[in-house]
Amino acid sequence: MKFASVNAKCPSYSENHVLYVGAHTGSFKRINLHSDDPFKQENLQPIEVLNKTSKITCMEFGNADRTELLIGRANRCVKVFNLMKEESISNFEIGTGEVVGLGRSNGCIVVGSADGTVQIVKYPEPVKFSVGENLSRLQLCPDDERLMVTGGKLLKQIIKLWDLETQKVLFQARNVKKVLELEQNVWDNDVVFVNRNLIASCSRHGYVRLYDTRGPTRRPVQGFTSSDPDDQLAFSCLASYGDYLYAGTTTFGARAFDIRKMKNHIHVYKGFTGTVTSIRVDPSGNHLFTGCLDRYVRVHHAHRTALEYRCYVKSKPTQVLGIEWKEKPDVNKQNAAESTMDDVVHILSDQEGSDTEYDLMFSKMPTVNESTETKKRKATNDVANLKLTTKVKRNTVN
């Protein structure tokens, strides 16, 4: 598909994806990419109640089935949204700064604010603790919901792994080696769990780093930093799937890295004309969902790097999440199937009132499930019986 400024969908793209888009204005939209009109956008929230502080700053799935969304805003509001019923379950305000991280741990919602306050919403009293100022991102481990990673600006907010049950640091990263006795700048503006033991981060200062929490060293075990002074890379968002990391940039689209050797990127995704604000991977690992400040959401093939879908969403998207569409059970169809089973008519024969002519006719009719050889054998027998009956009638007449 050629790059242009209009909505487009590649004919070979046939996945049943549904995108949920959170915007800078606070609007929350759904786009069915497999429908008859794949560019139709449906607002799932009234836009009349939105204002300048309603910006959606983070969105995460609230359960493993991906039927619940947790939505955080700049005005400290958190919304729990049911995707099956397409309605809001609960809304509440929390913290003192914009929401930078959301998740569930043991059934409780965990909220991180930009001022470094983390709150576990539980009954009767919430649990609050501080992880330090200038917090940029908070992420919960999908493999172990007791673990949480944080990252932010300045050296005090370098990567930290937390235990939510004890609210203590289990692992704190160290910065890379000094250059000319000067500490290197730190700004981990996005962090993700590759698995339970590996943590990745990306930075506005142009690096992507991988940390192993099991080893004795707390420095990065793999990393990428552009050596080209003209490249001026600045990474804005990060996603992980298997052995691959996908990072969005502020000027040069998105790039893919192999965590086993990160000195160079392995893929470049083009077609963007602004900062990539959100990047996610579909459950199969074959497609990337991205939002960009040029007000487009896009779908790229993760391995072929081809642009497969593009849609203009009118407002700047800040968060994009995608799911595989699962058709909801239709109650009417189920009732119709049950009524069909109940309406089957069973014909009971009556020996006293039976008709010999009809019995003979129905006995010669083949059943639908009979094989072709059986039908041929019956037809041959019928012809033989007919000839024999004709011959008997002739002999009787003579």
Side-chain angles (χ1 to χ4, degrees):
M1 184 173 66
K2 295 182 179 180
F3 300 106
S5 58
V6 296
N7 296 337
K9 182 180 179 181
C10 185
S12 62
Y13 177 60
S14 59
E15 301 295 329
N16 295 331
H17 288 145
V18 177
L19 295 184
Y20 293 93
V21 183
H24 193 275
T25 58
S27 60
F28 177 49
K29 304 177 181 181
R30 181 192 63 194
I31 309 175
N32 288 336
L33 276 59
H34 63 283
S35 63
D36 296 334
D37 184 1
F39 310 110
K40 182 180 179 181
Q41 304 164 34
E42 298 183 26
N43 285 313
L44 300 179
Q45 177 180 357
I47 59 176
E48 295 82 8
V49 299
L50 302 177
N51 52 46
K52 294 182 179 179
T53 63
S54 300
K55 172 185 175 182
I56 294 179
T57 55
C58 62
M59 280 200 318
E60 298 292 342
F61 289 110
N63 53 13
D65 297 332
R66 301 194 172 196
T67 59
E68 182 184 80
L69 269 184
L70 305 177
I71 304 172
R73 300 181 182 274
N75 57 6
R76 302 179 290 113
C77 289
V78 176
K79 172 184 285 190
V80 183
F81 191 84
N82 189 310
L83 297 181
M84 301 302 293
K85 298 180 181 179
E86 292 189 349
E87 63 181 12
S88 177
I89 301 175
S90 62
N91 293 277
F92 55 91
E93 291 187 6
I94 197 167
T96 57
E98 70 175 34
V99 180
V100 296
L102 285 170
R104 276 194 182 273
S105 177
N106 294 326
C108 301
I109 298 178
V110 180
V111 184
S113 302
D115 60 357
T117 302
V118 177
Q119 186 164 335
I120 305 175
V121 183
K122 58 169 50 178
Y123 182 83
E125 289 293 333
V127 177
K128 296 182 181 180
F129 63 99
S130 178
V131 297
E133 298 179 352
N134 300 314
L135 182 64
S136 297
R137 186 63 64 190
L138 174 151
Q139 189 82 16
L140 269 65
C141 180
D143 300 326
D144 189 348
E145 56 187 16
R146 298 174 303 169
L147 301 179
M148 177 186 72
V149 62
T150 59
K153 196 174 182 180
L154 303 179
L155 185 60
K156 292 183 179 180
Q157 276 294 1
I158 199 169
I159 296 296
K160 297 177 184 178
L161 180 67
W162 297 79
D163 187 340
L164 287 174
E165 293 184 351
T166 60
Q167 296 90 49
K168 293 183 179 180
V169 178
L170 300 178
F171 170 84
Q172 181 173 352
R174 292 180 61 189
N175 199 6
V176 295
K177 295 181 179 179
K178 297 180 180 181
V179 177
L180 299 177
E181 298 300 321
L182 297 175
E183 198 78 47
Q184 297 299 296
N185 293 328
V186 173
W187 187 359
D188 296 312
N189 61 306
D190 202 0
V191 291
V192 295
F193 278 95
V194 178
N195 55 45
R196 192 181 184 279
N197 301 306
L198 296 178
I199 300 171
S201 68
C202 69
S203 174
R204 294 277 183 176
H205 294 310
Y207 61 77
V208 179
R209 294 172 180 170
L210 183 71
Y211 299 88
D212 191 342
T213 60
R214 298 167 297 182
T217 177
R218 293 180 291 157
R219 286 194 169 100
V221 294
Q222 290 285 349
F224 169 85
T225 303
S226 177
S227 58
D228 186 359
D230 297 329
D231 205 352
Q232 297 296 319
L233 278 181
F235 294 101
S236 55
C237 50
L238 192 63
S240 170
Y241 187 90
D243 292 330
Y244 300 98
L245 290 175
Y246 303 94
T249 70
T250 58
T251 51
F252 296 97
R255 300 195 176 193
F257 300 91
D258 190 331
I259 63 174
R260 293 164 291 190
K261 189 176 182 181
M262 291 181 58
K263 291 184 178 180
N264 296 296
H265 59 267
I266 58 174
H267 294 310
V268 177
Y269 305 93
K270 301 179 180 179
F272 305 91
T273 56
T275 299
V276 180
T277 56
S278 178
I279 186 168
R280 300 296 176 114
V281 191
D282 80 320
S284 67
N286 295 324
H287 302 277
L288 294 181
F289 309 128
T290 55
C292 183
L293 287 184
D294 59 7
R295 307 191 182 197
Y296 279 89
V297 293
R298 296 175 173 86
V299 179
H300 284 81
H301 196 282
H303 309 300
R304 293 188 286 106
T305 72
L307 178 61
E308 298 180 314
Y309 174 86
R310 177 182 56 242
C311 181
Y312 185 77
V313 292
K314 299 181 182 178
S315 53
K316 299 175 183 178
T318 56
Q319 297 292 322
V320 178
L321 288 178
I323 62 171
E324 280 283 346
W325 174 258
K326 295 180 181 179
E327 187 174 357
K328 299 177 183 178
D330 193 338
V331 178
N332 295 330
K333 290 183 178 180
Q334 292 181 355
N335 294 337
E338 293 176 359
S339 62
T340 303
M341 294 299 294
D342 295 337
D343 294 338
V344 175
V345 179
H346 300 277
I347 301 177
L348 302 177
S349 62
D350 187 358
Q351 296 296 335
E352 296 181 356
S354 62
D355 192 325
T356 307
E357 183 178 349
Y358 276 92
D359 293 341
L360 180 62
M361 181 180 66
F362 282 110
S363 64
K364 292 182 179 181
M365 292 178 64
T367 59
V368 177
N369 296 328
E370 287 182 337
S371 62
T372 304
E373 296 181 1
T374 306
K375 293 179 181 178
K376 290 181 179 180
R377 195 181 305 113
K378 282 193 173 184
T380 304
N381 295 336
D382 292 341
V383 173
N385 293 334
L386 180 60
K387 289 181 179 180
L388 179 60
T389 305
T390 306
K391 186 175 179 181
V392 170
K393 287 182 178 180
R394 287 179 182 176
N395 293 336
T396 304
V397 173
N398 294 333

